[in-house]
Amino acid sequence: MTLTNNYQSMAELKSLAGKCPRCSLCKFPPLVAVRDAGFSSICPAYEVNKMHASSGGGMLVMGMSLLEGRSEVTDRVRRIAQECTACGGCDIACKFSSDIEVLEVIFQLRAHIYKTAGAAPAHEAVLQSMRARLHPLVTASGALGDWLKDVPAEQSSTPDYLLWVGPHYALLPELRTTLTHALKLLAAGGVRYAVLGASEPYTGRAALEIGDRELFASFARRAAAAVAASSAKGVVCLSAEDYATFRALLPRFSAVGKPVLHVVELYDQLIRDGKLKPAKPVARALAWHDPSYLGRLSEPWTSWSGERVKTLGQMILETPPRPVNRGDHGCYDAPRRVLSRVPGLRTLEFFRRREYAFDSGECGQALAVAPGFALSTAQHRLAEARAVGADAIVTECPQSASMLRAAASSSDGTTTVQMLTDVLFESVLA
Amino acid sequence: MTVAAKTSAGWADKRTPEEIAELRETVRRRLVLELGERWVETDPCVLDTYSWQYIAEAATGSQYMPRALAIALPADAEQVAAVVRLCNELGVQYKAMSTGFGMWNSPIEPDKVVQIDLRRLDRIIKIDAKNMYAIVEPYVTGNQLQTEAMKLGLNTHIAGCGAQCSVLASATSMMGQGLDGVSMGFSNRNLLGFEWVMPGGEIVRVGSFGDAGDYFAGDGPGPSVRGVIRGFAGALGGLGVFTRCAVKLYPWSGPKQLDLEGGSPNFFARIPRHHTAAVVVVKDWKSLAELGYRIGEAEIADYLGRNAPSLMAGVLTVDNAEAAEVYKIPMLHELYYALVVVMTAASTEEMNYKRSALREIVRGLGGGALSNDFSPAGIQDFLRFLKVVSARLGTRAFLRSMPSFLGLVLRDARRYGMAKAPMALTSLLYQSLLRSGMNMRGVFRFAGTFWTAMGSLVTWDNAIRGARVGAQIKRKYIDQGVIVDDGGDNAWGGLYEGGTFSHLEELAMYDQTDPEAGDRVAEYVAETNLACVDYHCGDSLNAVGPPFHRMFSPACMDYDKYTYRIKTTFDPQNAADATMFTDPAFAPDARLEARMQAVLADRAKVSIDTSHAGAPVRVLAPLH
Ligand SMILES: Cc1cc2nc3c(=O)[nH]c(=O)nc-3n(C[C@H](O)[C@H](O)[C@H](O)COP(=O)(O)OP(=O)(O)OC[C@H]3O[C@@H](n4cnc5c(N)ncnc54)[C@H](O)[C@@H]3O)c2cc1C
Ligand code: SF4
Ligand code: SF4
């Protein structure tokens, strides 16, 4: 039987999930990489809620139990599934030793819950917002193209890049400064870009995270079509969420057909080409936080179809070999290189970094339904920053920054959180 | 809603679903009063996440063990004691779990047992660097303790189940063998004292803690109860709950943290200057036995053990396609008579001494070594290594191996860079041994899962003999296509405490989603257990639970009678679920009997060393 890795149902994942021996590796970073016992978990759900169900392995079993009709969706099951950031830490940790698709099962679990029991009210509001206003930001006011009135975008009629702004930058006033800085940096680097303004579709991830796969598919197709219709040669995402969605999810519905970069990769290129010159010293020690969307969740997806056969009696082989995302092809080096070029700046590393970074509570639409859980997750990450000696964090994902800031203000209030774009702007143009 | 767990084992349960539901609700309500709503779980789907267990298929025919009545997550010893007292009061059983790897922590019958998940007891209470011990709670993993110990120049024993598992569970309750055993002993030997919620709910502190307020010694004053609470295999949850224990730590001469580069799953660990990682190979089983003893006696190794070629192929690769390629290299296939070694030292002089000693031992046995020693002598050792392998293989097969072997080196060059490629294999070996974090690659990925056999604590040459017996029995199951054809020999294990004792277990990998495989592998286990008795290989790792105790006890001074006395004295109510220990309520079921009859009717032929075989021992002897 021909199999594919474009999983459309939990049943398609059953034989992979069946290989889980409940080893618990999904609860920790790869063991060789553990640097501190106090910060040795990789799973926000398990860190906060402690039960096995609240872990990658636990979610996998919940999925199988529901699939096999051993149990039913209850409020409790729904709450456990929601108090997970869908950050993929478990998936990466499991795949240090296996090829089980834990995160795919988590998405299918959410789809199953959505199909059989609908969305929780707060999630339904997000879906409603997507259907009615074409974006997921329930409390945001204004229209998607309004930002163009405030922020000068020097668009080119022969663009190299389609600059994908995303609903957060487009709608949230607190991100206006960063948006302005990003556009100024691109202008200073001589980048020819175009924007879609009001007609830029949302890439749709929130729907997938909630479990409405059909809604997600319709947004994904729209986003892919918008890229195809543009004369630009490639896409540059300002938002890490869009970047991850373009690279890892959209290709399952429609080929994107053009290279997709995150803006930090473009900064990195511009600095290497001498088009941006960080000159002003920024005398600070900042810990770089790898957002899950920019890191492991952005690893490109490669289509596969093939067969599972047995060799040596019972050894399971896939022919041709199935590409397995193990997290190491996320965007990790570009931000580090950019920061290393800023004079005076000392970049510190978290204990948990790169593909095994601990999420900061921003992913998976957990914030909408379980704000306490999301905040605890961010607080834990903040504590880690302090443990590595940083009183400031730098990142490049608006949702991560917002969670970490909320955590800082709910605790000692002294840790500051900055966006890489703002730090670079300070050094290049301020 | 109560959904009875689906098991093909068919447990007889005279209660109606309504009665079970009522009992569950009573237990839940009372537990909530003790622990709070958040820390009690009875949702069927969530209970299933606890039921899904390693080798459940062998017990129940599905991947789920029977469901617990409820899951309880107490926060401290007092809350554990409260749960235990409550279970005694309500007449239900309980069973503790620490990190929870393996079906041994699960109930054997549905809807009868409260599972006590000790996840919230996760603190390293103290590391006493001067006196070299640590006090830990149940959910502290080997990896966490090692990470903190290394910062203080210390190291800890980690059992082979992996560093993600609990230190305390192995020390107090189950097994305890790992490849660091040559220098850091066996888990029960490192146990210095413990806090114990006894089966009735009384909290006692054992070892010097009870008297002096600190855990520096495991025994006395007065009689030791270490043997009482665990012995060889442990009580597997059948004697109450351990909420804290002290374990001995050992010197560590390496850096505070591993020097790691690259990303998952291809980390490159730089081996410190004064450390050596090596695969040493000799020409036959006899030399391998001698090799183990000599290395042990020389006290030069910190880690010492055997990985069979297939396991090695698993550990060195990231997926099955790659493993299958590597496994095809005839050269690797022939590393039967090999040990993996890590030696650490505090100075160049000390390492030079250890390297010379190892060299003398290996050369004395006509062997060679592949290591991170790139000195002229180290290169000579490598050439000898090739010579031993080529002598086994024959020149033509050896030469045929070369392209694939070079392919492996090129793979490493692509992965780690040209300069690091020659060190890649030893770096992987070093990471794997040091952090016990890669075994899972070797045993699960091939087919899905594995079960193990033989593996008693015996002398090293007896362990080797046992492995040879096990391999022959395994061949029968390989030929029937129910397990992976790993050549028969997949004996894994190590030597302990300078080689004074050791173990080798015979792994069998299978697909747990194949309905037939679990059953047949259980037969393999039963058959190897019989062979352990017949060929005097010691009581096996699978001497767990009453059915198997019945097999071994008559051959080992009726030990089951003692454990039975311990159990009934300490736990007259049989409140702690002792189905994996010595269960006063045990009655063999028809499935088990049928399995044993099937095995007895068709036993594999074992042709080596039968001179050691004694008179056949009774099997399925009446209990107690
Ligand atoms: C794949 C695999 C490989 C293994 N390899 C090895 C090996 O190489 N060497 C080795 O020594 N062991 C091995 N084991 C067995 C292993 O040692 C035990 O499973 C071990 O104790 C794991 O720790 P845990 O916390 O996950 O145990 P758990 O599953 O939590 O518990 C193991 C047993 O101890 C009991 N228990 C746990 N905690 C407590 C407590 N606090 N109080 C009272 N009883 C308790 C449980 O009821 C259960 O019976 C292996 C197991 C598996 C599944
Ligand atoms: S999901 Fe993966 S890491 Fe987690 S328990 Fe299962 S196999 Fe182990
Ligand atoms: S996706 Fe993240 S939060 Fe959810 S189970 Fe996996 S590691 Fe935990």
Side-chain angles (χ1 to χ4, degrees), chain B residues 114-430:
Chain B
V114 171
Q115 217 164 345
I116 305 178
D117 179 351
L118 295 158
R119 159 72 169 114
R120 292 171 71 204
L121 281 78
D122 62 356
R123 290 171 308 157
I124 298 176
I125 306 285
K126 167 176 169 181
I127 297 182
D128 184 333
K130 187 160 162 255
N131 294 303
M132 296 173 68
Y133 70 89
I135 303 174
V136 293
E137 292 186 329
Y139 205 88
V140 172
T141 66
N143 188 255
Q144 289 164 340
L145 181 59
Q146 187 186 54
T147 299
E148 295 310 309
M150 279 180 170
K151 292 177 187 168
L152 302 169
L154 295 167
N155 200 356
T156 181
H157 165 66
I158 298 177
C161 41
Q164 80 282 12
C165 289
S166 159
V167 173
L168 177 142
S170 294
T172 61
S173 303
M174 186 172 179
M175 304 296 168
Q177 55 277 67
L179 295 194
D180 56 35
V182 70
S183 65
M184 293 189 263
F186 196 83
S187 291
N188 63 347
R189 305 268 287 182
N190 291 316
L191 181 64
L192 294 180
F194 49 92
E195 183 178 71
W196 178 20
V197 177
M198 290 177 62
E202 189 187 345
I203 303 177
V204 296
R205 297 189 173 90
V206 180
S208 54
F209 184 82
D211 189 51
D214 213 340
Y215 291 87
F216 51 81
D219 305 297
S224 162
V225 292
R226 264 202 295 189
V228 170
I229 60 114
R230 67 152 295 162
F232 160 53
L236 291 101
L239 271 182
V241 187
F242 302 97
T243 46
R244 204 179 259 211
C245 80
V247 289
K248 189 168 161 37
L249 299 175
Y250 295 85
W252 165 246
S253 64
K256 290 185 186 341
Q257 275 179 5
L258 286 196
D259 185 356
L260 212 60
E261 291 173 26
S264 180
N266 295 310
F267 291 108
F268 181 89
R270 237 174 241 290
I271 302 178
R273 205 152 48 94
H274 304 136
H275 291 190
T276 297
V279 183
V280 288
V281 66
V282 287
K283 57 184 187 310
D284 53 27
W285 286 120
K286 197 160 173 276
S287 311
L288 189 74
E290 201 51 42
L291 180 70
Y293 284 127
R294 289 192 194 173
I295 295 176
E297 276 164 15
E299 296 186 2
I300 51 175
D302 295 78
Y303 294 77
L304 178 64
R306 178 176 190 268
N307 288 342
S310 59
L311 191 100
M312 203 102 85
V315 169
L316 298 179
T317 55
V318 296
D319 58 39
N320 278 358
E322 204 179 58
E325 279 308 306
V326 169
Y327 190 54
K328 271 190 223 147
I329 305 178
M331 212 160 120
L332 180 107
H333 227 252
E334 291 304 326
L335 293 183
Y336 284 118
Y337 315 116
L339 292 178
V340 288
V341 190
V342 165
M343 303 188 296
T344 68
S347 65
T348 309
E349 291 73 24
E350 189 188 350
M351 184 41 67
N352 285 344
Y353 161 75
K354 288 187 170 182
R355 281 183 172 171
S356 314
L358 181 66
R359 184 163 296 130
E360 202 174 304
I361 293 168
V362 175
R363 289 190 185 178
L365 292 166
L370 180 162
S371 79
N372 62 322
D373 176 1
F374 294 105
S375 68
I379 290 166
Q380 261 186 33
D381 289 336
F382 179 57
L383 295 175
R384 283 169 180 267
F385 174 95
L386 293 178
K387 199 171 143 199
V388 175
V389 177
S390 72
R392 266 194 60 81
L393 268 178
T395 315
R396 287 175 72 179
F398 179 74
L399 291 176
R400 266 207 323 275
S401 294
M402 274 305 156
S404 336
F405 180 71
L406 290 176
L408 194 62
V409 175
L410 280 179
R411 178 204 76 172
D412 290 340
R414 274 196 307 276
R415 221 166 247 177
Y416 307 108
M418 207 56 195
K420 290 191 202 118
M423 279 99 77
L425 285 178
T426 45
S427 165
L428 277 168
L429 190 66
Y430 183 76

Side-chain angles (χ1 to χ4, degrees), chain A residues 18 20 22-23 31 34 36-37 40 46 48 50 52 65 70 74 76 96 310 312 314 316 326 355, chain B residues 38 41 43 48-49 52 63 67 99-100 119 139 143-144 148 151 264 320 441 446 481 485 511-512:
Chain A
C20 165
R22 201 217 182 272
C23 63
L31 298 176
V34 170
D36 191 277
S40 58
Y46 196 60
V48 175
K50 318 280 185 198
H52 182 64
S65 172
R70 290 174 53 95
T74 58
R76 184 78 189 114
F96 180 80
K310 286 201 170 163
L312 294 174
Q314 290 283 319
I316 301 166
R326 296 180 197 270
E355 70 277 5
Chain B
R38 183 171 174 201
E41 193 55 72
D43 186 284
D48 270 358
T49 67
W52 178 286
Q63 289 188 266
R67 279 186 190 142
T99 41
R119 159 72 169 114
Y139 205 88
N143 188 255
Q144 289 164 340
E148 295 310 309
K151 292 177 187 168
S264 180
N320 278 358
R441 278 185 181 185
F446 272 60
D485 184 356
D511 177 356
Q512 71 270 53

Side-chain angles (χ1 to χ4, degrees), chain A residues 20-26 57 94 100 102:
Chain A
C20 165
R22 201 217 182 272
C23 63
S24 287
L25 286 171
C26 50
C94 177
I100 300 172
V102 188

Side-chain angles (χ1 to χ4, degrees), chain B residues 522-559:
Chain B
E523 282 176 24
Y524 162 68
V525 167
E527 189 164 356
T528 45
N529 273 353
L530 288 173
C532 280
V533 179
D534 289 352
Y535 298 101
H536 298 189
C537 302
D539 54 344
S540 112
L541 276 175
N542 291 310
V544 162
F548 289 137
H549 290 314
R550 293 165 77 210
M551 212 180 266
F552 287 101
S553 188
C556 302
M557 296 154 64
D558 290 328
Y559 69 82

Side-chain angles (χ1 to χ4, degrees), chain A residues 61-104:
Chain A
V61 179
M62 289 209 296
M64 291 305 113
S65 172
L66 294 169
L67 175 72
E68 292 165 29
R70 290 174 53 95
S71 58
E72 290 166 8
V73 175
T74 58
D75 285 349
R76 184 78 189 114
V77 169
R78 189 213 292 273
R79 195 167 74 74
I80 290 171
Q82 286 168 346
E83 293 198 359
C84 146
T85 59
C87 67
C90 49
D91 191 73
I92 277 9
C94 177
K95 286 174 181 164
F96 180 80
S97 300
S98 85
D99 56 5
I100 300 172
E101 297 288 353
V102 188
L103 186 59
E104 297 282 351

